[in-house]
């Protein structure tokens, strides 16, 4: 697993005008400490050896790329290839980040971990690595998300984590993150905040990108091996942005389209398109695009997929948008569900609802690119956690 170290944020932790650190003074020192431990770890061959071994034997890496032949045929455009992060232990890309941060927490001597979770995938990944290393895990989760992602709540309990329901606000990811940060501020001496996405104050966006960038590094080499050339486009869904930046990073200097997919929700007023429809503001310690009103008040978001139901986005995506390197488009609940069913029926793969947004957009991009082209999609997770909610919604 290479840590590329290119496209680094500046000394203030900014990607262009985005990112930085907007936190209370007490947390500043903890972030400095984390940044130092991160730099030490990245420069230490023992850290990489430990991470590689866990990636191979515990997580199941490298994940394959897969040519979705029947889906490609039905869509009638470019070949669609999937990077199979759904095959990771615990069912999504979140474990890549959790393993790396657990190793860093151990280096810091911090044995209590707090985390936020939306769909529960990051909570499960956190609970998993904490069980593996004997760390205490406290996971904040919105009450609404607890309702719609029940299987993951049960899993976290079995793994020994304490799940704290958050009833504030809409009871979703933003509210859970507020509570996790509040806990961390009060316990920062003994606690590591294991953030689940490439968001938050510096160094988190950079740290999480580096821990997830093996997705793109692997996929790029695998595509060159299988197709003898690079894809014409890479597509991934964007909640906070970690699976997307992890896939995009390796392709950043290549001549291919980079397409991030946000949740367009009901297709009208209720959505979670921070990049496409937000304004520049500060949320959870960093400057980025935020779904807020003119007074900076965060507005209500909606997505069928809990993991994309977040009014902010990681600062590096804001920078990729502002510089024109990446495009960010929306897919509605209905179109994501249609994409979900097509992958089930045509490929025998049940995707996460988050990933289904990327699949729906990849079909459109494949038509735009046309026959002879190649589109690579980040299949960020599997859909086990979503089957009950979808069955209830569709009366199955
Ligand atoms: C959490 C999650 C996401 C969204 O988070 P990012 O940080 O944007 O990647 C997407 N897909 C799955 C399967 C998830 O669990």
């Amino acid at each position: 697993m290479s840590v590329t170290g290119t496209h680094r944020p500046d000394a203030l932790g900014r990607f262009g005008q985005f990112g930085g650190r907007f936190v209370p003074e007490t947390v500043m020192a903890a972030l400095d400490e984390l940044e130092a431990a991160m730099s030490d770890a990245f420069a230490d061959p023992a850290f990489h050896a430990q991470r590689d071994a866990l990636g191979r034997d515990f997580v199941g890496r490298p994940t394959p790329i897969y040519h979705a032949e029947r889906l490609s045929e039905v869509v009638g455009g470019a070949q669609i290839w999937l990077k199979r992060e759904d095959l990771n232990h615990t069912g999504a890309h979140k474990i890549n980040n959790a393993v790396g941060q657990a190793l860093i927490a151990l280096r810091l001597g911090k044995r209590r971990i707090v985390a936020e979770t939306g769909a529960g995938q990051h909570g499960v990944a956190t609970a998993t690595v904490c069980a593996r290393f004997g760390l205490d895990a406290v996971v904040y989760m919105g009450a609404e998300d607890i309702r719609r992602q029940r299987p993951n709540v049960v899993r976290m309990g079995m793994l020994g984590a304490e799940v704290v329901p958050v009833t504030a606000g809409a009871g979703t990811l933003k509210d859970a993150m507020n509570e996790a940060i509040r806990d961390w501020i009060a316990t920062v001496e003994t606690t590591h905040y294991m953030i689940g996405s490439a968001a938050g104050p510096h160094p988190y966006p950079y740290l999480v990108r580096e821990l997830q960038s093996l997705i793109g590094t692997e996929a790029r080499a695998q595509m060159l091996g299988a197709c003898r050339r690079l894809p014409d486009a890479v597509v991934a869904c964007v909640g906070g942005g970690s699976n997307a930046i992890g896939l995009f990073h390796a392709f950043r200097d290549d001549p291919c389209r980079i397409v991030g997919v946000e949740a367009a929700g009901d297709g009208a007023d209720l959505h979670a398109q921070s990049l496409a429809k937000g304004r520049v503001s500060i949320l959870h310690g960093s400057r980025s695009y935020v779904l807020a009103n003119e007074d900076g008040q965060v507005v209500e978001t909606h997505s069928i997929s809990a993991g994309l139901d977040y009014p902010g986005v990681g600062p590096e995506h804001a920078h990729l948008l502002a510089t024109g390197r990446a495009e960010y488009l929306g897919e509605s609940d209905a179109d994501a569900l249609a994409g979900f069913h097509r992958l089930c029926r045509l490929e025998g793969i049940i995707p996460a609802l988050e990933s289904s947004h990327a699949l729906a957009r990849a079909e459109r991009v494949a038509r735009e690119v046309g026959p002879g082209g190649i589109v690579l999609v980040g299949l960020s997770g599997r859909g086990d956690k979503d089957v009950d909610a979808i069955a209830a919604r569709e009366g199955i």
Side-chain angles (χ1 to χ4, degrees), residues 92-94 121 196-198 237-244 307-308 352 354-355 380-381:
H93 65 290
K94 297 279 182 2
Q121 288 301 120
S197 193
C237 66
V238 178
S242 69
N243 88 90
L308 303 185
E354 290 81 6
S355 323
S380 52

Side-chain angles (χ1 to χ4, degrees), residues 139-143 146 163-167:
V139 179
Y140 290 88
M141 186 168 187
I146 286 179
V163 180
V164 183
V166 177
T167 51

Side-chain angles (χ1 to χ4, degrees), residues 109-123:
K110 293 187 169 175
R111 305 198 68 88
R112 180 175 180 270
I113 306 293
V114 293
E116 81 294 334
T117 196
Q121 288 301 120
H122 178 57

